[in-house]
Amino acid sequence: MDVGRTKDVDAEVDDVTEELVGESAGDEAATWDAWDAAFDREEGPFDVAEVDLDADEVKRLDLGTLVITPFDKMNLQLQVDKAKEKVQALLISDGTSAMEVAVFAGPTRSSMLGEIREEIIKATEEADGKVELVQGPFGAELRRRLPVTTPDGKPATHLSRTWLCQGPGWVLRGVVMGKAALEPDNQDADLAMWEFFTNLVVRRGPEPAVPGSVLLMEIPQLDEK
């Protein structure tokens, strides 16, 4: 038996397999990029330079980096960096669904959505979770299933949907949870989340920031327009 030749053949098979897997991953990434390219921000989310916030009587909350439009019976929680007295992210809920929103620095002339997706996929796999990408309302949407442990020590699964949207120098991330994640095809379940995300206005500011770093927000004044 020519053992050396068998090893050579096995190595060639492995090389071909890796090549096919790589091509498949490349095709998937191209599809996801196409979904992103098919979405435009004509109806939001917006950059502050694209809108006139004083042109209407809509009541808004100004968090500096992010301007939000509350909806009826919306519950708002702020994730605050106590040391800096700045808001890192916000969590909104309509009672059945919720969404965590954060703003990150991004490149001005290129897209980093593919890089962010790969990081989310890698983190999901490392946590023994599963992720599926579909064409969502803002481009490629990541649907994640992560194993978790309940407060009483029982195993469970956490479901979420991640929306990513890039503008000039910024990236918005919305992580949808609750009923809208459990029933992703139920448009009534995610309507409030979709409308809230669509109406977001980002005020990037002139400060330099490393792409991918969190853009901190201010604690809003409740009487602001």
Side-chain angles (χ1 to χ4, degrees):
M1 179 182 294
D2 189 346
V3 178
R5 182 171 176 80
T6 301
K7 290 182 178 179
D8 290 343
V9 172
D10 289 342
E12 290 178 3
V13 171
D14 289 341
D15 290 342
V16 171
T17 301
E18 290 179 2
E19 183 177 349
L20 291 174
V21 170
E23 289 178 356
S24 176
D27 291 342
E28 287 183 337
T31 298
W32 303 336
D33 290 341
W35 290 344
D36 290 337
F39 169 72
D40 62 48
R41 294 185 301 97
E42 184 176 352
E43 297 183 0
F46 302 99
D47 186 82
V48 70
E50 300 164 348
V51 295
D52 183 355
L53 297 176
D54 297 319
D56 55 42
E57 298 300 321
V58 175
K59 298 297 182 180
R60 302 182 176 90
L61 290 180
D62 193 334
L63 291 82
T65 300
L66 194 64
V67 181
I68 70 174
T69 303
F71 53 84
D72 188 37
K73 298 181 180 179
M74 182 187 84
N75 181 46
L76 171 65
Q77 298 179 33
L78 303 178
Q79 299 177 12
V80 179
D81 182 329
K82 295 182 179 179
K84 297 181 179 180
E85 297 185 345
K86 298 285 187 178
V87 177
Q88 295 177 312
L90 57 90
L91 181 70
I92 61 104
S93 172
D94 65 356
T96 60
S97 301
M99 178 168 59
E100 181 190 72
V101 177
V103 192
F104 302 87
T108 302
R109 293 187 175 87
S110 61
S111 174
M112 65 179 301
L113 297 185
E115 179 181 344
I116 295 173
R117 279 196 299 268
E118 290 301 323
E119 291 177 355
I120 294 175
I121 292 171
K122 181 180 180 181
T124 303
E125 293 174 344
E126 290 177 346
D128 294 326
K130 295 182 178 180
V131 60
E132 175 190 11
L133 277 86
V134 301
Q135 187 170 16
F138 303 99
E141 171 183 304
L142 296 98
R143 296 182 180 178
R144 305 174 76 198
R145 300 172 61 91
L146 288 173
V148 295
T149 302
T150 63
D152 57 359
K154 295 181 179 180
T157 301
H158 182 266
L159 302 181
S160 66
R161 301 162 60 191
T162 299
W163 293 337
L164 298 169
C165 179
Q166 182 159 326
W170 52 262
V171 176
L172 267 176
R173 185 191 68 195
V175 181
V176 180
M177 298 162 283
K179 186 175 181 179
L182 294 170
E183 303 175 14
D185 298 322
N186 183 346
Q187 294 184 355
D188 291 333
D190 74 2
L191 180 60
M193 304 298 105
W194 175 82
E195 289 185 340
F196 181 85
F197 198 75
T198 298
N199 286 320
L200 291 173
V201 179
V202 180
R203 185 187 290 113
R204 169 65 176 82
E207 298 81 5
V210 178
S213 61
V214 176
L215 296 178
L216 298 175
M217 298 171 267
E218 304 289 340
I219 298 175
Q221 300 299 316
L222 296 181
D223 59 349
E224 294 252 356
K225 179 180 175 180

